[in-house]
Amino acid sequence: MSGHSKWSTIKHRKGAQDAKRGRLFSKLVREITTAAKAGGVDQNSNHRLKAAILKAKNLSMPSKNIDNAIKKGGGAGKNEINYQEVVYEGYGPSGVAILVECLTDNKNRTVSQVRATFSKNGGNLGESGSVAWQFEKKGLIQIEKQNASEKELMELALESEVDDVKTEEQGYTIVTSVPNFYPTHDLFKEKYPIANAEIAMVAKNTVGVAQDVYDRVGRLTDLLDELEDVQSVSSNEKLGQ
């Protein structure tokens, strides 16, 4: 898992630029609406919707916005937009694998923007199946460093049988299996403020890269994440060998 892509949502939430915060909330609304439309408005039976709402709440999205998105997905809204789920696969600098998940109402626009972002930043768009096999779905729970003691957090992680705990510059990322995501989230939330929690695609194995490559990949994944139709960006680099 790259530290770039999953901490960027927290950076946007806390950043001073209203445009970035608004863009993040727009993506969350799109995911909640699509999830509610696809699987119904009941969180207990629609796990995708439950995960989207959980992420929105942890990122301080107002409850009114969440409720409106659910209602819209349930058919209460007018002038409904149908979003298609598309996944693009590509390579960043030094061949780093990048997976880009999108929700779009215009695939031609989206693929054009994604391709241009790759090509302008040292990467290229690949064919379907070229890198997706290198990723798997996992639960991610992120806690900022100032909010947790590493020793206590590690002890709690051992009790909850998580897959991994990654100590990164911004904080700690707890990686779980999908079935263990919700109970682990609830356990950690009792003790620590949760900065972000989501079910996402995570690299099965990471590739060590030098600092300059790491920075270039980070710029590429950030620019991809800023595209309107992009919901999530995952990559397989790590800093160092």
Side-chain angles (χ1 to χ4, degrees):
M1 180 187 67
S2 164
H4 290 118
S5 57
K6 302 309 173 189
W7 283 100
S8 63
T9 55
I10 300 166
K11 177 180 67 179
H12 290 178
R13 179 198 66 181
K14 299 183 72 175
Q17 296 183 41
D18 289 341
K20 287 186 176 181
R21 187 169 182 268
R23 186 161 54 239
L24 171 60
F25 282 0
S26 177
K27 292 173 186 284
L28 291 169
V29 165
R30 191 176 292 200
E31 171 61 18
I32 291 169
T33 301
T34 302
K37 183 176 181 180
V41 299
D42 184 0
Q43 295 182 56
N44 295 320
S45 59
N46 186 344
H47 295 295
R48 177 179 176 181
L49 177 62
K50 183 177 181 180
I53 293 171
L54 182 65
K55 180 176 180 178
K57 287 182 176 178
N58 282 323
L59 291 171
S60 303
M61 185 172 172
S63 297
K64 182 179 179 181
N65 296 42
I66 295 172
D67 293 340
N68 287 341
I70 296 171
K71 290 175 183 176
K72 185 178 179 181
K78 295 181 180 180
N79 301 320
E80 183 180 352
I81 298 176
N82 293 314
Y83 294 109
Q84 289 180 278
E85 296 178 63
V86 289
V87 178
Y88 299 107
E89 304 170 47
Y91 300 93
S94 294
V96 167
I98 299 177
L99 198 66
V100 186
E101 298 175 270
C102 305
L103 285 173
T104 179
D105 60 343
N106 186 327
K107 288 177 68 175
N108 290 334
R109 177 193 67 219
T110 305
V111 70
S112 175
Q113 292 176 344
V114 170
R115 181 181 288 112
T117 303
F118 268 105
S119 63
K120 290 177 182 178
N121 294 278
N124 62 280
L125 198 60
E127 297 181 357
S128 178
S130 57
V131 304
W133 58 273
Q134 299 183 54
F135 297 84
E136 59 185 337
K137 238 173 213 185
K138 291 287 185 179
L140 301 178
I141 301 159
Q142 293 177 293
I143 299 169
E144 292 173 288
K145 274 190 176 176
Q146 68 268 23
N147 293 326
S149 156
E150 183 173 9
K151 181 180 178 182
E152 290 179 358
L153 187 144
M154 292 296 184
E155 288 175 353
L156 189 60
L158 287 173
E159 291 177 20
S160 56
E161 298 181 352
V162 303
D163 291 0
D164 195 10
V165 177
K166 297 181 182 293
T167 301
E168 301 164 285
E169 181 181 350
Q170 301 93 331
Y172 310 101
T173 298
I174 297 107
V175 184
T176 77
S177 65
V178 174
N180 199 30
F181 173 65
Y182 296 109
T184 302
H185 172 273
D186 292 345
L187 179 65
F188 276 84
K189 195 176 180 73
E190 288 179 3
K191 293 182 175 290
Y192 308 108
I194 303 296
N196 183 41
E198 62 183 303
I199 294 173
M201 299 302 288
V202 174
K204 296 176 185 177
N205 297 291
T206 53
V207 176
V209 298
Q211 182 71 59
D212 65 321
V213 175
Y214 185 80
D215 292 342
R216 288 166 60 204
V217 173
R219 173 172 170 76
L220 171 55
T221 56
D222 279 349
L223 289 171
L224 286 167
D225 191 56
E226 288 175 4
L227 295 176
E228 180 182 1
D229 298 330
V230 172
Q231 291 295 109
S232 180
V233 182
S234 302
S235 52
N236 73 339
E237 86 285 2
K238 69 175 180 179
L239 183 60
Q241 300 303 316

